Amino acid sequence: CWGSARRSRYRPGTAPARPCPPRYRPCPSLPAPAPLRCLLLAGPAAGCVALGLLGTAAHCQEVTVPAVPVPPDPAQPRPEPAFDWPLFWTFLRPQLLALSAAVALALGAALLNVHIPVLLGQLVNVVARCARGHIAGYLREARSPALRLLAVYCVQGLLTFGYIALLARVGEQVAGSMRKALFVSLLRQDVAFFDANRTGQLVNRLTADIQEFKSSFKLAISQGLRSGTQTLGCFVSLYLLSPKLTGLLLVVLPVLVGAGALIGTVLRSFSRRAQEQVAKATGVADEVLGNVRTVRAFAMEDPQAGLYCAEVDRAGWLNERLGLGIAAFQGLSNLALNGIVLGTIFVGGSLMAGDELSPGDLMSFLVASQTVQR
């Protein structure tokens, strides 16, 4: 530009040209010094190393969640818990009137059962006296003890009907109250309780366990009171009939009762373990069927079926062992009771030969001893 202006000066008649503005080029970015670059790169790495040396680490939230308590294996034997009598009294108190009536009727039926062997002995004495006589004399002699025995049978049947009906009502009312209280108690448990216990096991407690308790309660009232009363009354009758035979029975019977009680304790343990194993199998089935979508999503049908089959097989094995124990108990009981009957007839026959015992008294003794044995 300045060159053209200088040339225009030497040309006449021409105006001088305007000088052009200067042109500036952008300054290129200067590179950072080498020490600064090293500091920028080494800073984060040094920080990570320092945090690692200090022991600071990131943890997954899954690790910090408290582990769910694993329930104990119900198939293993556990100590039997103590029975809560005050709590049971709260369920039984509303049915106290019906229960008292049932107890009174059961005691009446038991006393009549004690009187039945005596009437049978009187009838057998009449039969023995008139065995070779005329039929008319036999009918006249046997009418009175036969009618008394028939009347006792009828009254005993009515009393048995009454106390069983009342006990059925009391048992259902108590079982219903227990089911309601147990269900309300389950609803108030923490969520961890339901994580540690399967739903099927809890449902089994509401159904099978309450039903078992109801049956045991009715059996304890009906059989327990009646058996206790009959045992005491029959021992008195046996002593009045023959002190010698009664002394022999008192020597043998306690040994048999003690052995039976010991075997019964073992059988109750087997029964409890078998029932808990059935509840465990039911819980597995309920868990699998309740989450069938998840089971199919992960193709876990065969492993879950194998798990349920294993639990069912173990429950079957426990029930089979319980069945073998019950069979052995019943076999030994029948052997012992039949042996007592045989011994009573053998010793009683010798007493009859010495005129120390009549045929009716021997018959009464046999019936009363079998009542005590039952």
Side-chain angles (χ1 to χ4, degrees), residues 239-265:
Y239 183 79
L240 294 176
L241 290 173
S242 175
K244 293 182 179 181
L245 284 176
T246 305
L248 180 62
L249 190 63
L250 287 176
V251 171
V252 177
L253 197 59
V255 178
L256 299 179
V257 171
L262 181 61
I263 298 175
T265 302

Side-chain angles (χ1 to χ4, degrees), residues 98-355:
L99 181 62
S100 301
V103 169
L105 294 178
L107 291 176
L111 293 176
L112 289 180
N113 283 335
V114 173
H115 193 57
I116 286 175
V118 178
L119 295 178
L120 283 174
Q122 294 176 2
L123 184 60
V124 169
N125 285 330
V126 172
V127 173
R129 287 198 306 267
C130 301
R132 298 181 180 180
H134 299 287
I135 188 67
Y138 167 74
L139 293 177
R140 185 173 59 255
E141 293 279 342
R143 182 181 297 113
S144 178
L147 290 178
R148 286 200 302 268
L149 190 60
L150 180 62
V152 169
Y153 282 156
C154 293
V155 175
Q156 183 202 22
L158 290 176
L159 293 179
T160 303
F161 168 78
Y163 82 77
I164 289 179
L166 288 175
L167 283 179
R169 180 181 180 278
V170 172
E172 289 298 332
Q173 294 293 328
V174 172
S177 301
M178 293 178 68
R179 283 195 180 98
K180 296 173 186 177
L182 180 57
F183 185 74
V184 172
S185 177
L186 291 176
L187 290 180
R188 293 176 180 175
Q189 298 296 323
D190 296 333
V191 179
F193 174 80
F194 296 96
D195 294 335
N197 297 275
R198 296 180 182 271
T199 306
Q201 292 177 335
L202 301 179
V203 173
N204 194 71
R205 297 295 182 265
L206 282 170
T207 54
D209 286 5
I210 299 296
Q211 182 68 28
E212 184 71 20
F213 180 83
K214 181 185 70 174
S215 301
S216 300
F217 171 74
K218 292 166 60 177
L219 188 64
I221 297 298
S222 60
Q223 297 291 337
L225 288 177
R226 189 176 64 179
S227 299
T229 305
Q230 289 178 184
T231 301
L232 294 177
C234 287
F235 268 122
V236 174
S237 299
L238 291 175
Y239 183 79
L240 294 176
L241 290 173
S242 175
K244 293 182 179 181
L245 284 176
T246 305
L248 180 62
L249 190 63
L250 287 176
V251 171
V252 177
L253 197 59
V255 178
L256 299 179
V257 171
L262 181 61
I263 298 175
T265 302
V266 178
L267 291 179
R268 280 194 298 271
S269 177
F270 287 169
S271 177
R272 183 167 59 251
R273 293 178 60 185
Q275 186 176 357
E276 290 177 353
Q277 182 61 32
V278 170
K280 185 178 179 181
T282 304
V284 171
D286 182 80
E287 192 76 15
V288 173
L289 295 178
N291 300 278
V292 66
R293 296 180 183 273
T294 306
V295 172
R296 290 189 175 180
F298 288 93
M300 294 292 291
E301 292 91 343
D302 292 338
Q304 294 299 324
L307 177 62
Y308 178 73
C309 292
E311 298 296 340
V312 171
D313 290 340
R314 179 166 177 79
W317 178 74
L318 290 174
N319 281 293
E320 287 178 3
R321 189 167 66 170
L322 175 63
L324 289 177
I326 293 176
F329 178 77
Q330 292 291 342
L332 293 175
S333 299
N334 291 335
L335 178 62
L337 297 181
N338 292 328
I340 289 178
V341 171
L342 179 60
T344 302
I345 294 176
F346 182 79
V347 177
S350 63
L351 293 177
M352 287 180 58
D355 292 335

